[in-house]
Amino acid sequence: MPSPDRKADVVVVGAGPIGAVAARSAALAGARTLLIERRQSTDQPSACTGLVSPRTLDALGVSDRSVLQRIRAVEAISPGGQILRVRSDTAKAVVLDRVLLETELRTLAEADGVALRMGTEAARVETGRLRISGPEGEETIGAGVMILACGAESTIVEAAGFGAPSRTVLAAQA
């Protein structure tokens, strides 16, 4: 996958957590799916925090191997010196090792039929086609659906017609 005609039902650009989950979901639904990532290796996490709700692990469909710490208490100190302490018997947040998390997500995606290409960059978006460049050279991939999970500062986001990258991004994540 993809075959010599270089066609996929779904191409996902960006193999961070959201891209890996999107690619896996597409493959589980029966789509021929290609996941590309510009990083050559995964020894550095994609840019995002590793502090999430404990429910995130279940939502992602991963084990708890990437959990570094379970947060049950926090202490906040105001500029005036007042202290607010909050404690719970159960974890309200977990700190994750992003490299382990992303590795597990990509491994699960590949096990479910996703073709993964590391060191591959999206160069140009056209209607129904994506031009990519990587270790296998430059090629055009036909795709019924393209998912750009590569971050707002990616140059392919602008090339796809979503505006110029910005240093300030307002976003919400659920």
Side-chain angles (χ1 to χ4, degrees), residues 76-101:
I77 304 171
S78 74
Q82 294 175 319
I83 300 173
L84 171 65
R85 290 183 180 95
V86 179
R87 299 189 188 285
S88 175
D89 291 335
T90 60
K92 299 300 180 187
V94 291
V95 178
L96 300 176
D97 179 318
R98 287 295 304 272
V99 171
L100 288 177
L101 174 68

Side-chain angles (χ1 to χ4, degrees), residues 100-132:
L100 288 177
L101 174 68
E102 291 183 24
T103 298
E104 183 175 359
L105 286 168
R106 283 188 295 276
T107 299
L108 289 169
E110 285 186 289
D112 287 327
V114 173
L116 172 64
R117 291 206 201 163
M118 297 297 292
T120 301
E121 192 161 358
R124 189 173 69 236
V125 176
E126 299 171 359
T127 303
R129 293 193 306 250
L130 180 68
R131 185 84 174 149
I132 63 174

Side-chain angles (χ1 to χ4, degrees), residues 121-152:
E121 192 161 358
R124 189 173 69 236
V125 176
E126 299 171 359
T127 303
R129 293 193 306 250
L130 180 68
R131 185 84 174 149
I132 63 174
S133 177
E136 298 179 23
E138 288 192 14
E139 59 188 296
T140 299
I141 305 291
V145 174
M146 282 181 255
I147 299 172
L148 301 180
C150 49

Side-chain angles (χ1 to χ4, degrees), residues 57 62-68 70 96 104:
L57 299 173
V62 295
S63 70
D64 64 355
R65 286 188 295 251
S66 62
V67 175
L68 296 172
R70 296 181 191 283
L96 300 176
E104 183 175 359

